[in-house]
Amino acid sequence: PEILCIVPLLKREALEEVMYAAVELGANTIQLVATEKIHRAWAGQKEFERLQAIMIAACEQSKQFAIPALHQPIEFNVMSQKLSGNVVFFDAHGEPAYDVITQLRKEKLFQVAM
């Protein structure tokens, strides 16, 4: 399926880990989102390029042959208005992402935002 991964602007180390995991998961697109609760500023083009380098390294490590498209941060309310179709929200106490993606593939859903 086409996987859009929506990632909030987390602290630097946590954001890098999420970016790496999103690539391993097979995300096609990664949309960064600014929320009211973030406690840091976006570092602009320098941070964007660093995240792209992390995604390339993750692709090499996980044998992914396509680098996801990375988009500059937008406000959460703008992102929520753009969402349509199947949306999956993950939390630390929910089901494993692998199980959810496997089920979506069985149901032949071709576009997923998470």
Side-chain angles (χ1 to χ4, degrees):
E2 181 180 329
I3 300 174
L4 163 63
C5 188
I6 303 165
V7 180
L9 291 178
L10 304 168
K11 292 182 181 177
R12 183 178 176 157
E13 187 175 317
L15 181 58
E16 291 175 0
E17 289 178 20
V18 169
M19 297 297 291
Y20 204 93
V23 170
E24 290 178 321
L25 182 68
N28 306 91
T29 306
I30 299 173
Q31 174 64 64
L32 298 172
V33 176
T35 67
E36 292 179 5
K37 300 272 184 177
I38 63 171
H39 297 287
R40 71 178 199 83
W42 172 245
Q45 188 63 26
K46 182 178 177 182
E47 185 169 7
F48 188 82
E49 290 171 0
R50 183 177 55 79
L51 293 176
Q52 286 182 317
I54 289 168
M55 290 183 350
I56 291 169
C59 284
E60 291 171 352
Q61 288 285 326
S62 63
K63 306 292 189 255
Q64 293 286 353
F65 298 108
I67 300 170
L70 177 62
H71 297 286
Q72 294 281 346
I74 60 174
E75 294 294 323
F76 179 79
N77 59 352
V78 173
M79 183 70 236
S80 63
Q81 292 172 359
K82 289 183 176 184
L83 294 176
S84 65
N86 302 294
V87 180
V88 179
F89 292 94
F90 292 95
D91 67 51
H93 303 290
E95 293 188 38
Y98 179 81
D99 295 345
V100 173
I101 297 299
T102 301
Q103 183 62 34
L104 292 173
R105 283 188 175 156
K106 286 179 185 175
E107 295 175 16
K108 298 186 191 261
L109 298 174
F110 297 105
Q111 186 175 24
V112 178
M114 56 182 193

